[in-house]
Amino acid sequence: MKPRLQASLGQHLVMTPQLQQAIRLLQLSAAELEAELATAVESNPLLDWTESAIGTATSPAGDGDAPAGPDVTVTVTDTAPPAEADWTGSDGDTWYQRTGPADPDDDGLLAEQVAEPETLHDHLLWQLHLSPLSPRDRRIAAALIESIDDDGYLREPLESIAATLDRELNAGCDEIRTALCQIQRFDPAGVGARDLGECLRLQLQTLDEDTPGRTLAYELADGPLERLPKIGAAGLAAEMKLPLAEVETAVQLLRSLDPRPGAQIGAIATDTYVTPDVVIWRQHGVWRVALSESMRPRISIHRGYESMIQHASAADASYLKGHLQEARWLLKSLEARGDTLLKVSRCLLKQQAAFLEFGDGALRPLTLREVAADIGLHESTVSRAIARKYARTPRGTIPLRAFFASGIGTGNGGEASSTAIQSMIRQLIEAENPRKPLSDARLAETLKATGVPVARRTVAKYREAMSIPSSQDRVRMG
């Protein structure tokens, strides 16, 4: 990938049309990307389908290798696992049917998995769950998220939200406003805005300070933008006594932003099947990760039409050159998408190899911020890279979001992920005496004795999230 495009993806420098395309392709699911490519090939004569993979992401030998836990080694490769089309083990089981640790020599054939629908609210609540907030702030933020519409705007007054919160919470508008500021840092940029101007300003804040037109665009979004349709850029320039070129640059930057950020996160139909974006497998005791073969771009530039440019008329040459430029940017954007996805997957594998090895109980706390800092990308870029993306693993085809979890401090100074704690609760309940099931308070005491101090209310919340009945209901089941 070109350094300029890679830097743009990581730091959101200049919001050019090409960068907008790269960002949009990054957040597409595999099915959406396939439809996008089909449309591009149909509309652009310079693009053509090809059987060979174009823009394959590669990694230098040894790049990304690092210990990921006791006796665990991680390796990154750009080649698919051997005999990918036939991964059936000797015992006939398939990976997604297994519940124990992965066998290094096992193979398996994975069927496509049905995708779970994801709404904007789901996406925001997931980020809230990973945020280091107090239980009180989480409840306030959750109430705010429920009030955000599908476009990403918060149109309900803060006073009304304060009135709907529990009386025992007794949260004032200032406290609610503070929680809203936290939500407005979530992905997608601009979410939680109360009007168009605030939505655009929130997106401008994510851009580099050196972005051309950023300062003036922020000023325009704060009021003068409403007069733009009536007086145009020239009128604004005259009114503000600024050069027309400077105003046009700021206006163009504003037009490149998304006035409906919530629409970026749409629900996937419940009958949609997903194709894994990356493949994670273990070979001879070494964990490996690669882009799925189906994710390698299958389009290329039509060399026949490209060669016609030199001999075509001026009008035809101009037409072909325009489509050639679009085709090149599409291929570069696809290459950037693959590189970013592989870089994020590589980090997740290094951080969570124990999760693949031993299951949910070994999932360590991990946030978007940690991954972004580790690989040098912006948090919003990481969020887009994992949105509706799936990994084919020895534990089945799972969403990349499953590798993230919030953490709770333990007695030995470390942290345990919420997913690991839920797994511990489930194991305790499965081993309990059915005639004398463990109460939430007893479960909390048992966890505390193992070095995981959690409150009874936290245990109840996790138990309910796993759809496990209370101890009173379980005793009747026993």
Side-chain angles (χ1 to χ4, degrees), residues 45-48 54 299-304 306 324 327-328 331:
L46 269 295
L47 287 173
D48 198 6
I54 305 296
I299 60 174
S300 62
I301 295 177
H302 195 296
R303 298 306 174 188
E306 185 181 18
L324 177 60
R328 287 174 174 171
L331 292 178

Side-chain angles (χ1 to χ4, degrees), residues 213-262:
R214 177 181 180 272
T215 302
L216 180 56
Y218 198 92
E219 184 179 345
L220 292 177
D222 206 19
L225 182 64
E226 298 178 357
R227 299 192 295 277
L228 179 63
K230 295 182 180 180
I231 63 177
L236 283 179
E239 181 181 293
M240 304 177 73
K241 298 180 181 180
L242 293 172
L244 177 59
E246 185 177 339
V247 174
E248 287 179 338
T249 299
V251 170
Q252 183 60 34
L253 178 60
L254 287 170
R255 285 174 175 165
S256 71
L257 304 178
D258 192 345
R260 300 174 59 240

Side-chain angles (χ1 to χ4, degrees), residues 18 21 39-48 299-303 305-306 309 315-332:
Q18 293 79 18
Q21 180 188 55
T39 301
V41 171
E42 183 178 351
S43 61
N44 191 334
L46 269 295
L47 287 173
D48 198 6
I299 60 174
S300 62
I301 295 177
H302 195 296
R303 298 306 174 188
Y305 280 110
E306 185 181 18
I309 295 178
D316 290 341
S318 177
Y319 171 81
L320 292 174
K321 285 181 180 179
H323 282 292
L324 177 60
Q325 183 68 9
E326 292 179 4
R328 287 174 174 171
W329 273 111
L330 177 60
L331 292 178
K332 289 180 180 179

Side-chain angles (χ1 to χ4, degrees), residues 451-475:
V452 183
V454 293
R456 180 195 60 79
R457 288 177 298 178
T458 303
V459 172
K461 180 183 71 174
Y462 288 165
R463 176 180 53 75
E464 292 170 358
M466 294 185 291
S467 301
I468 296 177
S470 65
S471 58
Q472 294 179 348
D473 293 332
R474 295 202 308 275
V475 71

